[in-house]
Amino acid sequence: MAHAPNQDPAADILADPYAVYERLRGTAPVHRIAGTDGRPAWLVTRYEDVREALGNPLLSLDKSHALPGNYKGLALPPALDANLLNMDPPDHTRIRRLVVRAFTPRRVEQLRVPIRQTADRLLDALGPHGSTDLITAYAAPLPITVICDLLGVPDEHRRDFRSWTDVLVTPDPEKPQAVKEAAVAMLGFLTQLLADKRKEPADDLLSDLIAVREEGDRLTEDELMSLAFLILFAGYENTVQLIGNAVLALLQHPEQLAALRADPARLPAAVEEIARYEGPALLAIRRFPLEDVTIGDVTVPAGETVLLSLSAANRDPHRFPDADRFDLGRDASGHLALGHGIHYCLGAPLARLETEIALSALLERFPDLALATGPDDLRWRPSLRARGLLALPVTY
Ligand code: HEM
């Protein structure tokens, strides 16, 4: 049986996501809403349903399985669009296997010192006391620098790289020409970068991805290009927002912040609770049923758009008792903020490392860090997909 609420909850989700999720979880397993592109979609909010759906091979990420006209999505050049998050097995299995051979724990661990150095440099620039927007001054520049380090983007190109990234990651619908130009510039840049790395391999992920081979298999030029782009797309904005959300949650819970300051060994567990409580990806990538699929007692027809709410699942009290309480002492493992199943976040170890270092460098530097605005004045991104602050004014 399909449940169609009288009023579409999409607008309410923008205003107050967790209150709406609670209502939706309580009334039906699946709700028909206007999706991120304004077209109809089915929203899943209960933990067990979302987890099961993330692992369900009948839910395809390949948009060629969308009903014609039912899904709009982003218009990316084909070389950037053929990436892991638009793919199902066996293509996905093949490419992911190759990437995992290059994106190793050693490669991530190698970034530990550079991440800390970048964090310290950004904090140095703030001086010993003052006020700032922590998103602009810290949470945003840190991850983009880390991604440049990871991919091996030379210093002299980082300013351009960052400005194209900003345009592409948060496109302004009023400026389609700027988005197009940034996409063309980024494509040209990545083509040249790949050619340079091919000629002169360095100790970076891109060079490793070019070199990686398994049983005679290797990544093609288009696959390399779309991978570099996906790492940028999947890795940048999410990390900015996780760092921002983490600082906010801690500042809003001073007793928990004090306990963390007193025992920094709790930081890794704290990052898990922060990801559960205020993860940056409200939704997983949209899925399309290959055939009619039943979720709870609702049948979703083949080809329609299915949205899985990671954030609603992470606040489901059937899985996490007192789920709306931020509690650094709880066991938050099993949260879905980084996905689940074959598309589980490839950058998860890096996202965790980066968030831990960002928080420890910041907390060590500023014992008096405080919010410079009331909770009602905080402005969140107007997005059904992303949970992140537009600005985080602090004093220190
Ligand atoms: C806090 C930061 C991050 C969050 C919350 C996050 C979240 C996610 C989620 C939820 C998925 C699965 C999407 C789905 O199944 O629909 C995913 C996939 C992915 N993430 Fe992350 N991510 C983060 C950081 C990163 C970083 C730093 C990188 C790379 C450097 C990265 C690379 C990827 C890639 C390549 C995939 C696709 C994997 C596949 O399809 O097999 N992510 N991420």
Side-chain angles (χ1 to χ4, degrees):
M1 175 182 53
H3 295 253
N6 297 334
Q7 207 192 341
D8 194 297
D12 298 343
I13 292 175
L14 288 180
D16 189 357
Y18 300 113
V20 182
Y21 293 153
E22 185 181 348
R23 195 179 81 222
L24 297 179
R25 271 193 316 263
T27 49
V30 184
H31 294 263
R32 205 161 156 74
I33 69 163
T36 51
D37 59 0
R39 302 186 188 200
W42 300 81
L43 180 69
V44 186
T45 56
R46 294 176 184 167
Y47 180 90
E48 284 306 329
D49 293 338
V50 172
R51 190 168 188 280
E52 197 179 305
L54 286 167
N56 186 345
L58 289 176
L59 292 175
S60 166
L61 275 79
D62 177 349
K63 54 193 167 200
S64 70
H65 293 119
L67 281 180
N70 202 49
Y71 173 75
K72 186 152 64 76
L74 266 183
L76 285 175
L80 303 184
D81 211 24
N83 67 55
L84 288 171
L85 283 174
N86 284 324
M87 270 178 200
D88 298 331
D91 294 341
H92 175 269
T93 319
R94 185 193 138 245
I95 294 184
R96 179 143 177 154
R97 202 163 46 213
L98 287 164
V99 179
V100 164
R101 290 180 72 97
F103 201 169
T104 56
R106 183 192 75 90
R107 172 74 52 219
V108 174
E109 194 48 41
Q110 216 177 28
L111 291 168
R112 181 182 290 274
V113 172
I115 296 173
R116 179 67 198 219
Q117 285 168 344
T118 305
D120 283 337
R121 185 173 47 74
L122 294 167
L123 294 172
D124 287 346
L126 294 180
H129 301 285
S131 59
T132 191
D133 165 20
L134 213 59
I135 300 291
T136 313
Y138 190 59
L142 181 61
I144 192 70
T145 308
V146 174
I147 286 174
C148 287
D149 288 341
L150 177 71
L151 292 177
V153 176
D155 285 344
E156 64 271 25
H157 295 298
R158 291 188 175 197
R159 187 189 289 266
D160 283 344
F161 188 79
R162 180 162 178 203
S163 73
W164 302 323
T165 304
D166 284 336
V167 175
L168 290 171
V169 172
T170 35
D172 182 345
E174 308 281 301
K175 296 182 185 155
Q177 191 55 29
V179 179
K180 221 179 186 171
E181 281 167 18
V184 170
M186 182 60 92
L187 253 173
F189 174 73
L190 289 178
T191 309
Q192 186 58 47
L193 188 63
L194 279 168
D196 292 347
K197 301 277 172 198
R198 212 180 272 287
K199 246 189 277 154
E200 228 175 287
D203 191 5
D204 55 46
L205 179 64
L206 219 48
S207 302
D208 285 359
L209 286 170
I210 291 169
V212 79
R213 282 166 202 271
E214 196 185 54
E215 293 168 11
D217 191 11
R218 61 188 307 180
L219 295 162
T220 67
E221 203 67 19
D222 272 7
E223 286 165 355
L224 282 165
M225 183 88 87
S226 58
L227 259 171
F229 190 69
L230 174 63
I231 286 171
L232 192 64
F233 223 72
Y236 175 38
E237 197 67 3
N238 273 326
T239 314
V240 176
Q241 291 167 357
L242 184 59
I243 295 171
N245 295 356
V247 175
L248 176 66
L250 291 170
L251 293 179
Q252 287 183 322
H253 298 84
E255 69 303 339
Q256 310 228 20
L257 174 55
L260 184 60
R261 282 186 186 277
D263 183 6
R266 296 174 60 183
L267 202 52
V271 170
E272 297 311 304
E273 171 63 353
I274 290 160
R276 181 199 71 84
Y277 177 79
E278 199 75 280
L282 289 171
L283 297 173
I285 301 297
R286 75 284 165 287
R287 268 108 168 130
F288 307 104
L290 296 173
E291 56 190 60
D292 291 2
V293 160
T294 303
I295 300 175
D297 59 353
V298 178
T299 299
V300 179
E304 301 221 341
T305 305
V306 177
L307 299 176
L308 306 172
S309 175
L310 305 175
S311 299
N314 286 337
R315 297 283 192 114
D316 186 340
H318 288 104
R319 175 61 180 78
F320 298 103
D322 205 0
D324 284 331
R325 195 158 60 88
F326 179 60
D327 177 4
L328 294 185
R330 81 160 76 226
D331 176 7
S333 59
H335 71 71
L336 302 176
L338 295 157
H340 166 71
I342 62 167
H343 291 279
Y344 181 76
C345 179
L346 244 170
L350 177 58
R352 291 186 162 110
L353 179 70
E354 217 173 322
T355 309
E356 280 174 33
I357 296 176
L359 289 177
S360 58
L362 180 72
L363 297 178
E364 281 167 29
R365 180 76 62 114
F366 298 131
D368 298 328
L369 188 71
L371 268 182
T373 184
D376 294 341
D377 294 326
L378 288 168
R379 287 179 307 123
W380 295 90
R381 285 187 182 284
S383 166
L384 283 177
R385 199 196 305 271
R387 176 73 172 168
L389 292 161
L390 288 168
L392 179 54
V394 294
T395 55
Y396 50 93

